[in-house]
Amino acid sequence: MAQTVTALFDRYEDASVAVRNLESMGIPDSDISVVANNAENWHRAEEPSNISGDAGVGAGIGAVAGGGAGLLTGLGIMAIPGVGPVVAAGWLVATAAGAVLGAAAGGAAGGIVGALTTSGVPENHAHIYAEGVRRGGTLVTARVADDRVAEANTVLEGSRRVNVDTRGNAYRQAGWSRFDADAPVYTDEQVRRERDLYL
């Protein structure tokens, strides 16, 4: 059996360290995903795709790494409703694309929240993770064998992982209640201000 371990990071650099450490544990790239806010345009690609409109493109993001090149070499840009431009790679992207299409057909919540809850993340945490990415963060998610969950969590903790409950409380104290895919996308200035609150 496998479980999903998930971590939010305020800085992409910390998330990339976490991804490399998970890879060093022997977790295959196919079981790791990264979704990073790109409002500040730090990562450039030729053509952004739209996760809500093209599941095929979304499913292909991250697959280009292959051959042991490492997940982070397969990053691509796409747009996620309520989040805006993100840099993403891995299985969660394909799951999110499918969840968006399922929601459009009358299924459960789409996008990141739907992908996370489908993968076993509690819904209240999924909303905080999605909001964290919207506000400039980076989400790292890995499917890990039951007997390696503690080890994976230790790796993520050592990479400056955000405490999801503390962050959720901070969001709620400012009037937030849940991730809203129809909310305005954060600008690069808003992302910088948000990051300054926690770093």
Side-chain angles (χ1 to χ4, degrees), residues 117-144:
T117 56
T118 298
S119 302
V121 174
E123 185 175 355
N124 63 322
H125 283 179
H127 281 276
I128 297 165
Y129 289 134
E131 185 67 17
V133 174
R134 175 176 177 258
R135 296 183 185 206
T138 300
L139 185 67
V140 174
T141 308
R143 295 181 293 209
V144 181

Side-chain angles (χ1 to χ4, degrees), residues 8-106:
L8 178 67
F9 298 89
D10 288 315
R11 300 184 325 144
Y12 172 77
E13 294 79 7
D14 294 328
S16 65
V17 168
V19 168
R20 289 187 183 98
N21 289 340
L22 290 169
E23 290 172 333
S24 295
M25 279 178 56
I27 297 175
D29 292 344
S30 59
D31 286 335
I32 305 172
S33 284
V34 61
V35 178
N37 186 294
N38 197 42
E40 297 170 290
N41 206 26
W42 58 269
H43 182 83
R44 297 177 189 269
E46 296 294 322
E47 284 291 325
S49 60
N50 188 328
I51 197 168
S52 64
D54 192 343
V57 172
I61 297 290
V64 296
L71 178 75
L72 298 177
T73 62
L75 291 172
I77 295 180
M78 62 177 50
I80 295 179
V83 176
V86 297
V87 177
W91 63 273
L92 186 68
V93 178
T95 304
V100 165
L101 296 178

